[in-house]
Amino acid sequence: MNTLFDKIWDRHVVQVVKDGPTQLYIDRLYCHEVTTPQAFDGMRTRGLKCFRPQQIYCMPDHNTPTHDQDKPIEDPVSKAQVDALARNAAEFGLTHYGMMSKDNGIIHVVGPEKGLSLPGMTIVCGDSHTSTHGAMGAVAFGIGTSEVEMVMASQCILQQKPKSMRISINGTLGKGVTAKDVALYLMAQITTSGATGYFVEYAGEAVRNLSMEGRLTLCNLSIEMGARGGMIAPDETTFNYIKGREFAPKGEEWEKAVAYWKTLKSGEDAVFDKELTFDAADIEPRITYGTNPGMGIGITEAIPDSSEPGFLKALDYMGFKPGQELLGTKVDYVFLGACTNGRIEDFRAFASLVKGRKKADDVVAWLVPGSWAVDQQIREEGLDKILAEAGFEIRQPGCSACLAMNDDKIPAGKLSVSTSNRNFEGRQGPGARTVLASPLTAAAAAVTGVITDPRELL
């Protein structure tokens, strides 16, 4: 029997080149402003139109400021990229969700919440965290600029078929342990290159019990293990999440779609190239201590010692030492957001912990919804009031402090507890030091001013 990945992949094969790649049909192409200008230029130079423009959706997110979005962007590079995307989308007849549009946000947040990312699809974008959409039960992966152009021109892509891996997490997650902690735990266990060359299917009781938002977080971070992508078989949780969304099938089409989606699971006797199994009971809230997402520990643990190349260099950059515990370490910035943790559930979690408490005076906190739809939901649920009472303000949607491509940069030397996906040197700003964590752990740091076990405050 085939794996879930095989079923979707095989259904999208146009042809297989002998001793070469597979020509794969793509259902959805997402375009943001950073990786597309050269692709549009290439199309223009060759006098090509987009083959299926109705399957391509564009929105700026990386360069958008998270304040004063109704005014012109001050940074000239960011402005040029955002303006170019709007012009190119108009010229090529593509759907474009511009800044301040109610449909705008981070592309990997907007796709699922609008029902544009659906089970059984093949989905690509010029962005590594396209793996996020695999949570819908889709084959979703990041591609390069020349491949973006290929999909625009033909709605197909040339790809070598990856190997398959199943990661099962059995049992029940403990109090205060989130999907983000699961992902950080997996990275530490198998390293940031442990899934290179594989497409990962997540399975097991702990994964089935995750909400849709939690699954999106888990699949988002597949890329940080080196995987080509990650996915979760669609089930009632998936169907309930999709039902009624703007681009979800309606009426009879819905019934037909769900009937098909129910077939999208790995067979009982499916064979994976690699199988790994973990116990949910072994996972506690996690934090990183180094300069890649795999350099992480349980929040109550001490930093290990290692002779790995670059280990001490990473600790030196972070200002930490082997054997050091990070609990109680002073925090300068807290960032809630990104395509990893900018969804409504993440804001609910953050608000639940800070409710009735106050933001620490010397902490700068940036709370950035992943989309205008998330922003609206925050206000409808009254989370904005809880956050305001605790001393927090909500910024406008965008990628924000996940990466130093907009105004939200962490200053050199400052320590940031961040819900984003990468803690590389300078990722959040030149010289910035990043500790990756869940929204609960970020909230605990924001109200105490130091790295704190969120379970103590729940």
Side-chain angles (χ1 to χ4, degrees):
M1 282 286 284
N2 285 346
T3 65
L4 166 61
F5 175 75
D6 290 331
K7 286 181 179 179
I8 299 173
W9 179 278
D10 293 349
R11 191 175 169 139
H12 288 79
V13 170
V14 178
Q15 62 175 331
V16 180
V17 179
K18 190 175 186 300
D19 301 323
T22 301
Q23 185 187 9
L24 197 70
Y25 182 77
I26 299 300
D27 293 306
R28 181 82 66 224
L29 168 64
Y30 293 121
C31 297
H32 60 60
E33 74 277 26
V34 180
T35 53
T36 54
Q38 300 88 338
F40 282 113
D41 285 346
M43 295 284 285
R44 207 174 278 116
T45 302
R46 295 193 291 157
L48 296 174
K49 289 186 166 69
C50 289
F51 181 58
R52 296 213 162 140
Q54 71 279 13
Q55 286 166 236
I56 305 174
Y57 285 77
C58 308
M59 72 196 77
D61 53 14
H62 284 54
N63 288 283
T64 54
T66 59
H67 57 86
D68 299 319
Q69 286 190 7
D70 54 331
K71 300 182 176 72
I73 298 175
E74 288 175 14
D75 177 60
V77 175
S78 292
K79 185 176 189 319
Q81 290 198 319
V82 170
D83 290 351
L85 182 65
R87 281 196 311 274
N88 285 323
E91 180 184 336
F92 285 87
L94 307 179
T95 303
H96 176 257
Y97 297 142
M99 265 170 41
M100 294 301 294
S101 142
K102 69 174 175 52
D103 303 299
N104 179 254
I106 304 172
I107 216 155
H108 306 315
V109 174
V110 174
E113 77 185 6
K114 291 187 83 64
L116 284 166
S117 301
L118 297 171
M121 277 187 166
T122 48
I123 300 169
V124 295
C125 173
D127 185 287
S128 56
H129 292 105
T130 308
S131 57
T132 310
H133 306 266
M136 310 305 297
V139 169
F141 52 93
I143 57 176
T145 297
S146 60
E147 293 172 313
V148 170
E149 186 181 340
M150 191 188 298
V151 177
M152 285 177 178
S154 67
Q155 208 58 39
C156 291
I157 193 170
L158 296 175
Q159 285 287 297
Q160 296 287 354
K161 187 177 182 181
K163 293 181 288 186
S164 62
M165 179 191 293
R166 179 160 59 190
I167 296 179
S168 299
I169 302 157
N170 297 324
T172 310
L173 295 174
K175 174 178 142 183
V177 180
T178 70
K180 180 64 162 287
D181 301 304
V182 173
L184 291 173
Y185 174 80
L186 292 176
M187 281 177 242
Q189 296 300 309
I190 75 170
T191 78
T192 50
S193 58
T196 302
Y198 291 91
F199 222 94
V200 175
E201 180 182 339
Y202 298 100
E205 183 189 356
V207 173
R208 287 193 299 275
N209 286 339
L210 289 175
S211 65
M212 212 57 230
E213 287 90 349
R215 296 176 186 193
L216 289 158
T217 295
L218 182 58
C219 289
N220 173 275
L221 288 154
S222 305
I223 202 75
E224 313 309 341
M225 301 187 297
R228 196 72 187 88
M231 63 196 311
I232 295 169
D235 57 15
E236 290 303 322
T237 300
T238 323
F239 311 150
N240 291 337
Y241 177 88
I242 296 168
K243 191 168 190 179
R245 293 190 182 267
E246 185 179 349
F247 291 96
K250 306 283 191 292
E252 272 180 45
E253 290 303 311
W254 170 257
E255 302 302 329
K256 271 179 11 197
V258 172
Y260 165 55
W261 295 343
K262 283 179 175 174
T263 69
L264 295 175
K265 50 179 181 274
S266 294
E268 292 291 319
D269 50 358
V271 178
F272 291 80
D273 294 302
K274 192 168 188 179
E275 290 245 25
L276 296 173
T277 304
F278 299 96
D279 188 345
D282 294 337
I283 308 174
E284 68 169 340
R286 306 278 303 180
I287 46 173
T288 60
Y289 59 82
T291 54
N292 76 54
M295 297 177 79
I297 50 175
I299 198 157
T300 60
E301 295 174 354
I303 296 173
D305 204 350
S306 170
S307 56
E308 288 278 315
F311 182 83
L312 292 177
K313 177 178 178 284
L315 286 195
D316 186 54
Y317 178 85
M318 292 298 294
F320 300 149
K321 290 185 169 58
Q324 180 181 346
E325 287 188 5
L326 294 186
L327 283 174
T329 302
K330 186 183 177 307
V331 169
D332 303 302
Y333 280 74
V334 167
F335 169 52
L336 172 68
C339 60
T340 315
N341 284 122
R343 296 178 184 83
I344 187 62
E345 183 179 273
D346 303 312
F347 279 80
R348 287 178 190 144
F350 193 98
S352 73
L353 195 139
V354 305
K355 187 176 185 179
R357 298 186 167 97
K358 287 282 184 225
K359 181 180 80 65
D361 289 340
D362 46 1
V363 169
V364 177
W366 289 333
L367 277 52
V368 186
S371 69
W372 283 105
V374 172
D375 180 86
Q376 184 185 343
Q377 210 167 343
I378 287 168
R379 295 173 201 286
E380 284 171 0
E381 295 182 15
L383 301 180
D384 56 327
K385 293 184 177 62
I386 293 169
L387 294 166
E389 279 167 23
F392 297 93
E393 62 172 287
I394 297 162
R395 295 169 83 89
Q396 293 175 317
C399 290
S400 182
C402 175
L403 77 176
M405 289 185 78
N406 52 69
D407 298 343
D408 298 353
K409 296 178 179 69
I410 308 298
K414 298 295 186 187
L415 187 70
S416 158
V417 172
S418 176
T419 66
S420 52
N421 40 48
R422 289 183 178 160
N423 54 345
F424 305 152
E425 284 190 25
R427 168 82 177 181
Q428 291 196 288
R433 301 181 301 139
T434 303
V435 170
L436 299 177
S438 75
L440 287 174
T441 304
V447 293
T448 61
V450 296
I451 292 174
T452 301
D453 186 338
R455 293 171 296 189
E456 292 176 8
L457 302 183
L458 287 173

